[in-house]
């Protein structure tokens, strides 16, 4: 009776007094909740036949061994076969699988499925694998500074985030939406089916770019040749359709392999210099000066002035880049010979307020609106300083800063008849989780505003054709095509004011000149062995 009463008392304590607490503990043990990760969307380049993937989410496998489960007499055979399949030194594998009583020893990470299928057929004891999903860039470093990468750091919800470039800008769309699953576990851990709650993960959207695979490949190849030939610190380029704003190619060298982004020692190598950094454009800015002066009818292409080779203002002497005096010259010849004194002559006919207004309209004090992470905007504040020399040097692109994307868009306005268009690099975003491709976003031509008259555009184009036919751009001639273009050799500002010995060589142009299919900017940072851009970026 005493034993029974003791048992009843204990049951009363457990079931009545402590019942709710134990029920909650049991419920927490039995309940099962987990996050279901979506598959990240892919990124595709344009191609004439079919889209080419440049960023994919692929299934990989980690290979590991349990040395304690591998029979001693089979270790030599297993090490030899693993060495052959995984391309790892046999002795390294033997060292790992000979560790006695070791339950886990990693062999190789990120192995492809076909290798795992071979291992499965061999049926080795103690050799295991585990599948996982990871971002994969099949074209290695191509367009890497545009694409960016996905971080290997895992957030609290189990997902990973895109960094830099398109991976960063479109991270939300590419990432998709998490799913959730909840249910009850049996005593031994297996799930009770059906599950009590399931929210399916929504896979990320696919992003289709305007970048043409072949143009991108060619641009990077030619930039690499120039980078090596002139031992330049960097090389970059933009190719854009001036009629629509679609980016056909964009490159920055040296690039990096986003599959191995963690091997990059300097984070500045992740930046897209075409959109994220500004520079003083130099003489490729001169067509803008001529366009403004022509647009307000203060000059004509045939207007003459007398070039003495220099202009002195407030104690500063501004000279032509070749230090030559050319005597009587027309405005067209000013562009052909890239005369600083000539664009100063044109600028002095433009009221300062009008000049600032035109540069604002051309977009030099704002972002272009391209959908890439961290876009910078230009700096033309010097024009408000009231210092005359700052105003005059702006005529040939010194003392003001712009992004390469901004100057390309501005020259595109001259090429297309006078309209400033928003550049875009993403053609469409598609919901990949639906049975049929559903458009989430589609980019088309977007005119921001008209900046110059069509007649002005035609006049400047004719002048720029003369630059290529008769002037500093002669090495950019293409047999059978009309090319409009302008060279630029800009000094680089020093860290303590003034200018350093470094220069940036550029060429900007479009072709066919009177019905352009593309506008292109090329840039070499601090090339060696050549003084002017006509012999580096021009060819």
């Amino acid at each position: 009776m005493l034993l029974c009463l003791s048992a009843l008392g204990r049951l009363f304590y457990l079931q009545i007094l402590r019942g709710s607490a134990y029920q909650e503990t049991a419920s927490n043990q039995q309940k099962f909740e987990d996050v279901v990760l979506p598959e990240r969307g892919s990124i595709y380049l344009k191609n004439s036949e079919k889209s080419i993937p440049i960023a994919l989410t692929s299934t990989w496998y980690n290979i590991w061994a349990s040395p304690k489960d591998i029979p001693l007499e089979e270790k030599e055979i297993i090490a030899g076969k693993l060495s052959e399949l995984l391309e790892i030194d046999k002795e390294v594998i033997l060292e790992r699988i000979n560790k006695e009583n070791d339950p886990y020893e990693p062999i190789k990470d990120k192995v492809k499925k076909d290798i795992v299928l071979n291992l499965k057929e061999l049926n080795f004891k103690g050799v295991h694998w585990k599948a996982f999903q990871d971002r994969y860039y099949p074209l290695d470093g191509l367009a890497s500074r545009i694409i960016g990468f996905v971080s290997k750091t895992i957030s609290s919800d189990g997902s990973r985030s895109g960094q830099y470039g398109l991976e960063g800008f479109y991270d939300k769309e590419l990432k998709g939406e998490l799913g959730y699953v909840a249910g009850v576990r049996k005593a031994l851990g297996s799930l009770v089916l059906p599950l009590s709650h399931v929210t399916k993960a929504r896979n990320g959207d696919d992003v289709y770019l305007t970048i043409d695979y072949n143009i991108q490949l060619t641009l990077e190849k030619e930039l690499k040749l120039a980078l090596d030939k002139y031992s330049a610190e960097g090389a970059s380029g933009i190719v854009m359709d001036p009629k629509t704003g679609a980016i056909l190619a964009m490159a920055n060298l040296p690039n990096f392999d986003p599959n191995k982004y963690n091997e990059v020692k300097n984070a500045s190598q992740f930046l897209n210099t075409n959109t994220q950094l500004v520079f003083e454009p130099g003489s490729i800015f001169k067509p803008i000066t001529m366009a403004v002066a022509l647009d307000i009818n203060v000059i004509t292409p045939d207007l003459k002035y007398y070039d003495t080779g220099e202009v002195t203002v407030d104690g500063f002497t501004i000279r032509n880049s070749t230090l030559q005096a050319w005597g009587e010259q027309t405005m067209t010849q000013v562009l052909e010979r890239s005369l600083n004194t000539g664009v100063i002559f044109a600028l002095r006919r433009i009221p300062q307020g009008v000049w600032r207004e035109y540069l604002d309209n051309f977009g030099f004090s704002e972002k272009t609106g391209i959908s890439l992470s961290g876009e910078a905007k230009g700096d033309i504040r010097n024009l408000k300083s009231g210092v005359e020399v700052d105003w005059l040097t702006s005529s040939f692109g010194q003392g003001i800063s712009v992004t390469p994307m901004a100057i390309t868009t501005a020259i595109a306005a001259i090429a297309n008849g006078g309209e400033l268009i928003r550049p875009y690099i993403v053609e469409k975003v598609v919901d990949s989780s639906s049975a049929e491709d559903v458009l989430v976003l589609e980019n088309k031509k977007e005119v921001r505003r008209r900046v110059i008259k069509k007649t002005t555009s035609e006049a400047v184009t004719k002048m720029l054709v003369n630059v290529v036919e008769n002037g500093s751009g002669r090495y950019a001639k293409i047999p059978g095509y009309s090319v409009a273009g302008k060279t630029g050799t800009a000094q680089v500002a020093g860290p303590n004011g003034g200018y350093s010995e470094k220069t940036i060589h550029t060429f900007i142009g479009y072709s066919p000149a009177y019905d352009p299919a593309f506008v292109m900017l090329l840039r070499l940072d601090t090339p060696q062995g050549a003084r002017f851009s006509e012999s580096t970026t021009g060819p």
Side-chain angles (χ1 to χ4, degrees), residues 184-484:
V184 177
R185 293 185 188 275
K186 295 178 183 178
L188 296 179
S190 60
L191 296 177
V192 176
L193 298 174
L195 299 173
S196 60
H197 179 73
V198 177
T199 303
K200 289 184 69 175
R202 190 185 75 80
N203 289 338
D205 299 328
D206 291 335
V207 176
Y208 291 81
L209 306 185
T210 58
I211 291 179
D212 185 290
Y213 169 74
N214 293 298
I215 300 175
Q216 182 72 28
L217 202 65
T218 304
L219 176 63
E220 292 201 16
K221 176 187 172 185
E222 294 298 330
L223 285 175
K224 181 67 169 62
L225 290 172
L227 184 77
D228 294 341
K229 181 177 181 179
Y230 297 105
S231 301
E233 292 179 1
S236 56
I238 301 171
V239 185
M240 184 173 83
D241 183 339
K243 296 174 182 176
T244 65
I247 302 298
L248 305 177
M250 184 186 289
N252 298 261
L253 299 181
N255 52 15
F256 67 97
D257 185 349
N259 294 301
K260 304 172 184 176
Y261 78 87
N262 52 332
E263 296 179 6
V264 175
K265 295 179 180 178
N266 190 342
S268 65
Q269 201 168 329
F270 298 141
L271 296 177
N272 183 348
T273 57
N274 288 310
T275 59
Q276 291 183 284
L277 298 177
V278 297
F279 76 118
E280 295 186 30
S283 293
I284 58 171
F285 203 79
K286 288 173 180 173
I288 303 295
T289 306
M290 289 299 185
V292 176
L294 284 164
D295 209 53
I296 62 172
N297 300 313
V298 294
I299 66 165
T300 65
D302 298 323
L303 178 67
K304 294 179 181 179
Y305 87 111
Y306 193 85
D307 173 37
T308 61
E310 61 183 43
V311 172
T312 302
V313 55
D314 297 334
F316 293 94
T317 300
I318 303 169
R319 297 181 174 86
N320 292 325
S321 58
T322 60
L323 307 180
Q324 290 177 271
W326 293 87
E328 191 175 76
Q329 298 288 301
T330 66
M331 294 297 100
T332 297
Q333 289 172 318
V334 165
L335 288 184
E336 288 176 8
R337 297 193 168 104
S338 199
L339 304 180
N340 294 339
T341 59
V343 284
I344 288 174
F345 172 85
L347 183 69
R348 279 178 159 165
R349 291 174 165 238
I350 305 169
Q352 288 194 32
V354 173
W355 176 238
R356 288 197 299 268
E357 183 182 349
Y358 265 92
L359 294 197
D360 283 337
N361 284 338
F362 268 107
F364 294 122
S365 57
E366 62 190 16
K367 297 178 181 180
T368 66
I370 192 169
S371 51
L372 286 169
S373 289
E375 186 186 9
K377 64 178 181 179
D379 184 357
I380 58 172
R381 289 174 296 176
N382 267 1
L383 299 181
K384 298 179 181 179
S385 68
V387 179
E388 188 177 7
V389 70
D390 289 341
W391 174 52
L392 296 182
T393 56
S394 70
S395 67
F396 51 87
Q398 298 279 183
I400 57 173
S401 298
V402 301
T403 63
M405 190 71 255
I407 187 67
T408 303
T409 307
I411 295 298
I414 294 175
N416 68 26
E419 293 180 333
L420 187 73
I421 49 179
R422 183 182 69 84
Y424 63 96
I425 198 167
V426 172
E427 183 176 50
K428 61 183 178 179
V429 177
V430 174
D431 180 0
S432 64
S433 64
S434 60
E436 297 181 1
D437 288 348
V438 177
L439 280 177
V440 176
L441 169 74
E442 186 175 22
N443 282 311
K444 293 181 179 179
K445 177 181 178 180
E446 180 185 323
V447 178
R448 297 167 72 187
R449 53 187 169 265
R450 174 165 287 280
V451 291
I452 55 173
K453 296 187 286 287
K454 192 171 187 300
T455 51
T456 302
S457 162
E458 292 167 351
V460 178
T461 294
K462 190 174 180 180
M463 294 167 79
L464 292 176
V465 168
N466 281 330
V467 171
V468 175
E469 291 296 322
N470 310 312
S472 60
R474 60 190 176 278
Y475 293 119
K477 286 182 184 180
I478 304 173
Y481 290 88
S482 58
V483 179

Side-chain angles (χ1 to χ4, degrees), residues 40-60:
R40 191 174 180 88
S42 301
I43 302 175
Y44 296 92
L45 298 184
K46 210 176 185 70
N47 195 35
S48 56
E49 295 178 0
K50 61 179 181 178
S51 298
I52 295 178
I54 194 169
L56 297 167
T57 297
S58 297
T59 299
W60 301 86

Side-chain angles (χ1 to χ4, degrees), residues 6 31 168 173 232 349 503:
S6 297
K31 282 182 180 177
E173 291 82 356
R349 291 174 165 238
T503 57

